[in-house]
Amino acid sequence: MSYEVLARKWRPRSFPELVGQDHVRRALVNALDSGRLHHAYLFTGTRGVGKTTIARILAKSLNCETRGVSSEPCGECSACREVDEGRFIDLIEVDAASRTKVDETRELLENVPYAPSRGRYKVYLIDEVHMFSTHSFNALLKTLEEPPPHVRFLLATTDPQKVPVTILSRCLQFNLRLMPVPAIVEHLEKIAGAEQVEYDAAALAQIARAAAGSMRDALSLLDQAIAFGQGTVRAEDVEAMLGTLSRERLFALVEALVAADAEALLEEVEQLAQAAADLSPVLADLLSLLHQVALAQTVPEALDESVADAERVRALAGRMAPEDVQLYYQIGTLGRRDLGWAPDARTGLEMTLLRMLAFRPEPASGEAATTKTGAGAGRAGGGRRPAPGRAAAPEPEPEPEPEPEPEPNPARSGPSAAGRPGEPEPLDWERTVAALGLRGLAGELGANTVLLGLEGDRVRLALAPEHDHLSGDRYRKRLEKALSEHLGRPVRIELTRELPAAAETPADAERRRGEDRRREAERAIADDPVVQAFQERFDARVEAGSVQPAEPGTGEADNR
């Protein structure tokens, strides 16, 4: 007996056997059981999600000889068997892609008025109906407007946008969704068990992801994997068959990112290149893993439990800062978009990974922010290397050269021996925040607070109410750590939401200075003789809001 492929052997033959598409199944079952049948149905969705399968089940439900019109056809009568075998005379299956001529469509529809030969209903199943020509659609429209009572039309398409609205308005439309990965994995496990095929859970998960929501594609890939593995389905065989990135390699890439180890990153890329793997899909696989990590951090219950390495994903989620994950995902997305512009796939991949390290936020724990390749080394012109765990001070306010004695600057670090005993100079909070060089949300926390007092090891800060989302322990502890390093002694930060009247945070001060520069730029433009000449001679005007100040220190206004 010839071998029957899994996609045909395991095609659902009744509504209970359908995997997914519950919204379509429920509507059709209720319509059949209540006798509220429409004359035309349109099933839309990508390939392999069950459009034709549902149409054939519906054809059996309409023509079952044992149970009549029912949502549960017997599957044993001659009508049911002939529908399953594709030889029921009153089920007319048409491939619209091969019958685009209007004459062929008219010839097909000429038989519509005649009663069915054997069944209760004559069912027209038109696949890829969007391929009909305009004249063919017009011929079909005339039939849909006045359908005979013994005819039902089941239309299927992967591109409903190309179906005329006149056709759409005369059909009940059902949009079939992509199959979720867990549902595909569960179905593959059932089939592999019934076929007595040994398998790895990770291998089935890889097949399910590669199927991209198509159950038929998943079954075809399972067939191929069984043949490739000589009767077994193993993760390493599926990786080789699909040419996908090994999950071990993928986790190794992320581990190198977590450790800020550029050498390890490049070594992993070298290993991938030596394996002659296509490097183009690596970023897509990396983004998928980062997405799983982000889910594990924010909505743990949403993590796909069917993935064999779910525990490793949770472990990564516990070691990575959420802002790191989001930044890596954003950089990876941009890198994937620009991959076609890179000299080659390997160069684009390496530059994207190195960019993730270059823009990596300050670590939330005590690990150093520098990498093994020397990231964070001294700047040209004699600048000094930032202290571990803290980024360099932002331009154009350069960090001063170190004094011969490593004593903290009184104006920047608060209490010192420079003032009279018992009367330490106050801490300049704005200059201190700038000197900390914190990025991300911890930097935002510092920039949107006001210093209320510094008493011993206690630093009291008031947070602007509109920035209450920054008051979490993670950001407070990062600010506390950086401030302790800056002052040279441990301190603890206490936050209050009661901002003093007329108080100005560092962020407020920066906005005020920016507004002052903008007004000054507008005055400079208004007083410019060339601008005045244009206004007088040509009735010109300066568009409101178009004047932007130049960067501080340039001394010029920039009219953009």
Side-chain angles (χ1 to χ4, degrees):
M1 184 175 180
S2 61
Y3 176 73
E4 186 177 15
V5 298
L6 296 179
R8 289 180 59 86
K9 181 178 180 180
W10 289 92
R11 169 175 257 171
R13 289 175 168 80
S14 64
F15 285 113
E17 292 180 8
L18 279 176
V19 178
Q21 316 304 351
D22 291 339
H23 62 298
V24 179
R25 172 171 47 192
R26 179 178 178 181
L28 294 179
V29 166
N30 291 340
L32 287 164
D33 291 342
S34 63
R36 301 177 64 88
L37 297 173
H38 202 271
H39 66 275
Y41 295 86
L42 175 64
F43 302 106
T44 67
T46 189
R47 69 188 190 283
V49 293
K51 300 185 297 297
T52 306
T53 295
I54 291 176
R56 288 179 177 173
I57 296 175
L58 184 55
K60 285 199 299 184
S61 299
L62 292 171
N63 288 290
C64 180
E65 297 172 347
T66 303
R67 298 179 179 175
V69 178
S70 166
S71 63
E72 299 179 357
C74 69
E76 300 296 334
C77 67
S78 59
C80 288
R81 290 199 309 270
E82 288 174 10
V83 170
D84 287 336
E85 295 167 3
R87 55 185 182 88
F88 186 60
I89 193 171
D90 289 321
L91 174 59
I92 300 96
E93 296 195 31
V94 180
D95 180 11
S98 61
R99 298 180 71 103
T100 57
K101 296 180 180 180
V102 65
D103 293 338
E104 295 175 333
T105 307
R106 285 175 179 163
E107 179 183 352
L108 173 71
L109 299 177
E110 281 177 357
N111 293 320
V112 168
Y114 300 108
S117 301
R118 286 193 53 222
R120 191 174 295 106
Y121 289 96
K122 183 182 290 186
V123 180
Y124 284 83
L125 172 53
I126 305 178
D127 198 13
E128 299 299 348
V129 69
H130 68 273
M131 296 295 289
F132 268 168
S133 65
T134 302
H135 294 297
S136 295
F137 274 126
N138 290 337
L140 177 61
L141 177 61
K142 184 173 180 62
T143 304
L144 291 179
E145 287 176 340
E146 300 176 0
H150 59 267
V151 173
R152 294 292 180 266
F153 287 93
L154 309 180
L155 314 180
T157 178
T158 56
D159 195 354
Q161 304 295 333
K162 294 181 180 179
V163 179
V165 292
T166 52
I167 300 292
L168 294 176
S169 65
R170 288 165 174 82
C171 299
L172 287 186
Q173 183 173 346
F174 295 98
N175 182 27
L176 275 66
R177 303 163 183 163
L178 292 173
M179 298 286 184
V181 170
I184 295 179
V185 170
E186 182 180 358
H187 194 55
L188 294 182
E189 288 176 343
K190 173 185 174 182
I191 292 174
E195 295 287 329
Q196 297 182 344
V197 174
E198 294 184 12
Y199 63 89
D200 293 338
L204 296 187
Q206 287 178 312
I207 291 175
R209 286 191 293 268
S214 170
M215 185 64 79
R216 184 176 66 224
D217 287 1
L219 292 176
S220 298
L221 289 173
L222 179 60
D223 242 336
Q224 184 179 351
I226 293 173
F228 189 91
Q230 296 182 334
T232 61
V233 181
R234 302 300 182 197
E236 56 271 19
D237 291 337
V238 173
E239 290 168 2
M241 180 187 78
L242 298 176
T244 56
L245 175 64
S246 165
R247 294 290 282 183
E248 289 298 326
R249 292 284 184 205
L250 192 59
F251 275 96
L253 283 176
V254 180
E255 292 287 353
L257 282 175
V258 173
D261 191 340
E263 291 181 3
L265 273 178
L266 296 182
E267 178 61 28
E268 287 300 325
V269 175
E270 173 64 23
Q271 294 296 326
L272 288 172
Q274 288 182 2
D278 181 10
L279 299 183
S280 300
V282 172
L283 283 177
D285 292 337
L286 180 60
L287 291 175
S288 177
L289 178 55
L290 291 174
H291 169 246
Q292 293 173 0
V293 171
L295 286 179
Q297 290 177 331
T298 56
V299 192
E301 59 272 16
L303 183 63
D304 184 3
E305 295 295 336
S306 66
V307 178
D309 44 33
E311 288 302 322
R312 295 185 66 180
V313 172
R314 290 193 187 89
L316 274 179
R319 296 173 51 204
M320 299 179 71
E323 55 265 38
D324 288 8
V325 177
Q326 297 297 329
L327 178 66
Y328 296 159
Y329 190 92
Q330 182 181 33
I331 292 176
T333 300
L334 295 176
R336 189 183 179 198
R337 182 197 67 185
D338 298 337
L339 202 59
W341 296 98
D344 53 73
R346 177 171 179 172
T347 300
L349 173 62
E350 289 181 343
M351 286 301 295
T352 301
L353 294 173
L354 293 177
R355 194 178 303 127
M356 291 178 182
L357 291 187
F359 291 96
R360 181 175 185 244
E362 178 188 0
S365 56
E367 69 266 17
T370 58
T371 67
K372 292 187 178 182
T373 57
R379 295 172 297 202
R384 67 180 181 180
R385 179 173 180 162
R390 191 172 80 239
E395 300 291 349
E397 188 174 341
E399 190 174 351
E401 292 295 326
E403 298 295 332
E405 296 297 329
E407 295 183 2
N409 189 330
R412 306 180 80 179
S413 47
S416 73
R420 289 178 297 173
E423 297 183 8
E425 296 184 15
L427 189 68
D428 186 328
W429 185 239
E430 184 180 349
R431 292 183 62 189
T432 299
V433 169
L436 295 181
L438 280 174
R439 294 179 293 178
L441 295 181
E444 289 293 314
L445 174 61
N448 288 282
T449 51
V450 172
L451 179 65
L452 299 180
L454 174 60
E455 303 167 359
D457 65 344
R458 187 167 67 116
V459 179
R460 293 188 297 112
L461 300 176
L463 177 64
E466 62 269 22
H467 297 286
D468 191 62
H469 63 283
L470 301 173
S471 61
D473 285 344
R474 173 187 291 271
Y475 313 123
R476 179 184 59 79
K477 289 180 180 178
R478 289 182 60 191
L479 179 61
E480 192 173 77
K481 175 180 178 297
L483 185 59
S484 298
E485 292 180 354
H486 182 74
L487 296 177
R489 56 191 175 86
V491 295
R492 55 187 176 87
I493 292 177
E494 295 180 1
L495 287 177
T496 179
R497 274 70 169 180
E498 298 177 1
L499 198 67
E504 185 178 61
T505 67
D508 292 334
E510 179 59 32
R511 284 192 289 269
R512 174 177 51 77
R513 287 192 293 268
E515 185 62 23
D516 291 343
R517 291 195 299 269
R518 186 188 63 78
R519 284 195 292 266
E520 180 60 32
E522 289 179 342
R523 284 194 294 269
I525 289 292
D527 295 340
D528 188 278
V530 176
V531 174
Q532 292 175 348
F534 270 98
Q535 290 174 327
E536 293 173 1
R537 296 183 183 181
F538 305 106
D539 196 25
R541 62 183 179 83
V542 178
E543 185 177 347
S546 64
V547 178
Q548 298 294 331
E551 292 296 326
T554 63
E556 299 178 355
D558 179 18
N559 183 3
R560 298 179 184 173

